[in-house]
Amino acid sequence: MVATDQAAFDGAGWVVRPVLDGAEVRALRAAVAAHIDRVVDGLLVPGHETHPDAGLDDRLERIARGDDPSLAALLATAVGTDAHRDPAIASLIDHPAVVAAVRDLTGREVDGGTVRVRCNVPSLPNRREPWHTDVVVDDGLPCSRVRTTCWIPLADVGSGTGGLEVVSGRRDTAPAHEPTGAGLSIPETDLGAGERASVDCPAGSAVFLDRFAPHRTLAADHGRVRWSVVLWLRHAV
């Protein structure tokens, strides 16, 4: 299994590996839900207007589908900005299964990184990530020290459920990015000839990506919010 995964990672630039058990996934989901509750408690908006009885996979979509998509965007931003400080989420950077997977796939040890929580809300399509790589320029600055990305969905994802689409094929540099809106993206014409794969990843598994692997967020056509935790990992020198 290790040799097969390493060969797949070396060839395609990405691979899916199991990393968490069910209890760990439930703990992460509970941490995100609790963070949303804390943010809502600090707002002037009446609590009942934030759909407190909706589950984690539905709450922000119900808000966005109603008359307050800006509130849904605010809550998504708040989670993406601060929820990673929860101990259950922050500790993923040193999770034994994550560290072991990086070692197996790359032959290198993890040397810290950045953790963030992300969501894909069907009614907020402007928040979906376009084609990009996690390192754009290898310029020696801290961001360019990222070598491997570990993307952990908090529910099963596949086609139509707001997962990732990846362009397969390992590369030594990032494709050219162009300014688009608030960030950068890769034009379709610069993605290369690699196979495009809509990645199936069950809850408890993670998509490991090379830093130069182009990927984007797909639409959540099933109408539910897709939550994930992203680890941008540095390697020891």
Side-chain angles (χ1 to χ4, degrees):
M1 172 67 77
V2 171
T4 301
D5 285 350
Q6 185 176 35
F9 189 76
D10 286 342
W14 66 275
V15 73
V16 176
R17 283 276 296 259
V19 290
L20 305 176
D21 62 29
E24 290 173 311
V25 174
R26 290 190 293 273
L28 294 173
R29 291 175 58 85
V32 174
H35 192 78
I36 295 173
D37 287 339
R38 284 194 297 271
V39 174
V40 167
D41 286 346
L43 300 177
L44 296 178
V45 62
H48 69 272
E49 295 182 11
T50 69
H51 299 275
D53 296 328
L56 179 64
D57 300 326
D58 297 304
R59 188 174 186 179
L60 266 60
E61 175 63 5
R62 289 192 188 180
I63 296 170
R65 240 187 6 243
D67 59 1
D68 206 349
S70 63
L71 175 59
L74 183 151
L75 293 174
T77 298
V79 172
T81 303
D82 194 51
H84 60 278
R85 302 178 194 278
D86 184 282
I89 299 172
S91 63
L92 290 173
I93 204 80
D94 298 314
H95 193 286
V98 171
V99 172
V102 172
R103 183 187 304 119
D104 292 344
L105 297 173
T106 70
R108 303 291 292 277
E109 297 295 327
V110 171
D111 183 26
T114 301
V115 186
R116 291 292 185 271
V117 179
R118 293 289 184 257
C119 65
N120 182 354
V121 182
S123 293
L124 299 177
N126 60 314
R127 296 182 64 90
R128 291 201 294 269
E129 292 284 351
W131 286 112
H132 68 286
T133 60
D134 289 325
V135 172
V136 177
V137 180
D138 190 0
D139 55 8
L141 294 176
C143 184
S144 72
R145 287 194 57 211
V146 169
R147 291 295 186 272
T148 305
T149 296
C150 174
W151 185 82
I152 306 172
L154 302 187
D156 296 348
V157 297
S159 179
T161 58
L164 297 182
E165 185 177 16
V166 184
V167 178
S168 296
R170 196 73 177 267
R171 58 193 75 206
D172 297 325
T173 59
H177 288 63
E178 294 182 353
T180 51
L184 298 171
S185 69
I186 306 169
E188 288 275 345
T189 53
D190 291 331
L191 286 171
E195 179 183 359
R196 299 185 186 186
S198 174
V199 181
D200 291 324
C201 185
S205 290
V207 184
F208 287 86
L209 297 150
D210 178 73
R211 62 180 179 157
F212 294 139
H215 56 285
R216 67 173 175 176
T217 306
L218 294 171
D221 295 329
H222 65 333
R224 309 190 77 190
V225 180
R226 187 271 296 143
W227 292 95
S228 60
V229 179
V230 188
L231 315 177
W232 292 287
L233 303 168
R234 298 186 298 269
H235 292 180
V237 177

